[in-house]
Amino acid sequence: MVGVRMNVIQNATIQDIWNTIGQQLEANRGPYAHLNAIYEFQLLDEGKDVYQLVLNNGTAEIHAYHEIQPDCALKMKEKYFRKFLLGD
């Protein structure tokens, strides 16, 4: 399973990665069941993509834009975002 996850993160589009993150969050709500937080990921490459992960008592929403003031904002290039997801 780790190899599949690594392959997806290394080779997929950013949108596909976020779709996978959404599926994983939907499948396992336990770790964030009591968490209320908004995380923003600003990818500083040419497109300057912004994604927000909104966790609210067991629900998770992903927005492909800046919608709400985040509790935590992470700014990085896409290659470092992929490494971040792999734990590097």
Side-chain angles (χ1 to χ4, degrees), residues 1 5-6 9 12 20 23 27 30 32-33 36 40-41 45 51-53 60 65 67 71 79 81:
M1 186 66 163
R5 183 176 67 115
M6 181 180 283
I9 291 171
T20 301
Q23 292 167 357
Y32 63 94
N36 291 305
E40 183 168 280
F41 296 85
D45 296 292
Y51 291 88
Q52 286 192 333
L53 175 58
Y65 45 84
E67 182 170 310
D71 297 307
K79 71 178 183 178
F81 175 67

Side-chain angles (χ1 to χ4, degrees), residues 18-41:
W18 280 105
N19 289 339
T20 301
I21 291 170
Q23 292 167 357
Q24 293 295 318
L25 290 169
E26 182 70 24
N28 186 11
R29 296 174 184 228
Y32 63 94
H34 302 290
L35 184 61
N36 291 305
I38 301 167
Y39 298 96
E40 183 168 280
F41 296 85

Side-chain angles (χ1 to χ4, degrees), residues 12 14 22-23 35 39 47-49 57 66 70 73 82:
I14 292 297
Q23 292 167 357
L35 184 61
Y39 298 96
K48 296 187 179 182
D49 295 326
N57 291 320
H66 176 90
R82 291 174 190 269

Side-chain angles (χ1 to χ4, degrees), residues 37-88:
I38 301 167
Y39 298 96
E40 183 168 280
F41 296 85
Q42 299 175 12
L43 304 182
L44 303 175
D45 296 292
E46 289 181 34
K48 296 187 179 182
D49 295 326
V50 174
Y51 291 88
Q52 286 192 333
L53 175 58
V54 180
L55 303 174
N56 186 7
N57 291 320
T59 63
E61 296 178 14
I62 297 171
H63 303 279
Y65 45 84
H66 176 90
E67 182 170 310
I68 307 165
Q69 184 64 32
D71 297 307
C72 176
L74 300 167
K75 298 177 183 181
M76 63 190 81
K77 291 189 176 211
E78 181 181 319
K79 71 178 183 178
Y80 297 114
F81 175 67
R82 291 174 190 269
K83 288 182 176 192
F84 171 78
L85 293 175
L86 291 171
D88 290 343

